[in-house]
Amino acid sequence: MKRSYRAITTVGVAAAFAISMTACSTTASTGSATTATAKKDITIAFVMGAESDPFFQAMKVGAEDEAKAEGVKLIWQGDPAKYSAETQIPIVDAVLAQQPTGLVLIPTDPKALQASVAKATAAGIPVVNVDTHVSDLKDVVSFITGDNADGGSKAADALATQIGYKTGGSYKVVVGLTSATATTNVSRLDGFKAQVAAKYPGVEIVDVAYSESNPETAATNVSNWLTKYPDLNGIFAIDGTNASGAAAALESKGLSGKIGLVGYDAYPDNVAKIKSGIFTALVAQDPAAEARLAIKTLVEFINTGKTATEHEVVIPNVVLDSKTSDADFAKYTYVK
């Protein structure tokens, strides 16, 4: 499948809010029209990494809402707990065997899942990538994600403030990731490193570790760091499961508020821990909006052979901290 794509478009804050906050009215006007012109039954398969991750659970809510609005069937599949290419590829194969009309894929590894995209497109099944992407996007209808490099940059700013960064000082921080290859993790780490190098040269990233989206593994990683680096100043937990694990480890050691902790993803339990001082800040995405746009895009493409959605869509992040209003906490905390 060969297509010519438009240039990258970054969705502005107002547009992101429109996706997030007015989805019902949007699907009422565009979704019903799309359904009305449908010439066949449509089934959209949606395959993510660790399905139990609250980020993906929030995404499921958006996917189910949009599938209902569009009048299409949704197949929701993912490994229950493990985020890895080894567990994801057989799931994609099983889903493709059901011959869905379209596929939303959140690849756990950009290279390893490239063949899965090729397999789908060879079978005439259009693919949208959400959150993460495969290495070569030429056969992907659209890639929809949060602004990951910006999120890493904002995390560096928040962590530097929490640890009391001063020019000439020396500070040790660590980073907890789910995967060394997942494109979200790579971009966030790159954004974090770039901001540290540009603004906080006294900060040293002394270690990184991986959890495969398992909060217990993330907690163990942090516990090991606390032993290895007794003078540790801060932690950047690069996604929600690492944030949950890091918070649990600090609480168990009685170190809440004593070591700076900036996380990703507005899990309800972690949002509550901002107010109690365990988290300095959380970088919130809009997983439900990403999923709604993915379903809408595929249905439009299946019915018309084209889509108004840009080839690459970037939705801005929101930073939640102790100064965030209750209204915004309610607005950006992930639904489940």
Side-chain angles (χ1 to χ4, degrees):
M1 179 177 71
K2 293 184 182 291
R3 301 178 60 215
S4 61
Y5 292 117
R6 289 161 286 182
I8 296 173
T9 293
T10 300
V11 177
V13 174
F17 287 170
I19 292 170
S20 174
M21 304 308 296
T22 63
C24 292
S25 62
T26 300
T27 52
S29 60
T30 60
S32 59
T34 300
T35 304
T37 60
K39 299 183 185 302
K40 59 182 178 179
D41 292 335
I42 292 175
T43 298
I44 304 297
F46 205 123
V47 181
M48 76 304 302
E51 198 221 353
S52 59
D53 186 327
F55 175 83
F56 296 130
Q57 287 298 306
M59 192 169 274
K60 184 180 182 182
V61 172
E64 290 177 335
D65 286 350
E66 187 64 23
K68 182 177 180 180
E70 298 283 356
V72 303
K73 180 181 177 182
L74 178 68
I75 299 173
W76 181 264
Q77 292 289 326
D79 186 86
K82 192 173 182 180
Y83 189 98
S84 73
E86 290 75 17
T87 57
Q88 189 179 41
I89 290 171
I91 293 171
V92 177
D93 287 342
V95 164
L96 291 179
Q98 299 179 55
Q99 298 182 320
T101 326
L103 171 66
V104 181
L105 177 63
I106 304 176
T108 52
D109 183 283
K111 294 181 179 178
L113 272 296
Q114 190 75 55
S116 297
V117 170
K119 185 175 182 178
T121 56
I125 300 169
V127 180
V128 166
N129 280 174
V130 172
D131 189 43
T132 54
H133 64 82
V134 291
S135 299
D136 187 348
L137 286 167
K138 68 178 175 61
D139 287 336
V140 172
V141 174
S142 184
F143 166 49
I144 302 161
T145 192
D147 195 340
N148 294 295
D150 175 71
S153 176
K154 285 181 167 63
D157 289 337
L159 193 57
T161 298
Q162 174 63 21
I163 65 180
Y165 181 86
K166 294 181 180 179
T167 302
S170 180
Y171 308 86
K172 293 180 179 179
V173 302
V174 292
V175 182
L177 306 95
T178 279
S179 163
T181 56
T183 55
T184 50
N185 282 210
V186 172
S187 293
R188 291 169 197 171
L189 183 57
D190 286 347
F192 185 81
K193 286 180 174 179
Q195 190 73 340
V196 165
K199 294 181 63 177
Y200 314 109
V203 171
E204 180 185 4
I205 302 171
V206 294
D207 214 343
V208 300
Y210 306 97
S211 68
E212 292 189 329
S213 203
N214 186 307
E216 288 77 23
T217 302
T220 298
N221 291 340
V222 173
S223 294
N224 291 338
W225 281 328
L226 294 173
T227 300
K228 187 175 180 180
Y229 307 106
D231 53 349
L232 186 67
N233 299 105
I235 301 168
F236 175 29
I238 218 160
D239 55 26
T241 49
N242 277 280
S244 295
L250 292 181
E251 287 178 288
S252 71
K253 300 286 187 180
L255 294 173
S256 299
K258 297 179 182 178
I259 292 177
L261 174 60
V262 174
Y264 231 93
D265 293 316
Y267 292 5
D269 289 347
N270 289 347
V271 168
K273 291 176 181 179
I274 294 175
K275 296 182 178 181
S276 63
I278 298 169
F279 283 99
T280 299
L282 290 170
V283 181
Q285 305 178 84
D286 198 337
E290 292 180 25
R292 283 194 294 267
L293 184 57
I295 298 291
K296 180 178 181 296
T297 298
L298 272 178
V299 172
E300 183 181 39
F301 185 81
I302 289 164
N303 283 326
T304 69
K306 57 186 178 180
T307 176
T309 304
E310 295 290 345
H311 187 216
E312 297 189 33
V313 177
V314 179
I315 298 176
N317 303 299
V318 175
V319 177
L320 307 178
D321 57 26
S322 61
K323 297 178 182 178
T324 300
S325 68
D326 288 340
D328 278 349
F329 275 130
K331 184 176 181 180
Y332 294 109
T333 299
Y334 296 175
V335 295
K336 60 180 179 178

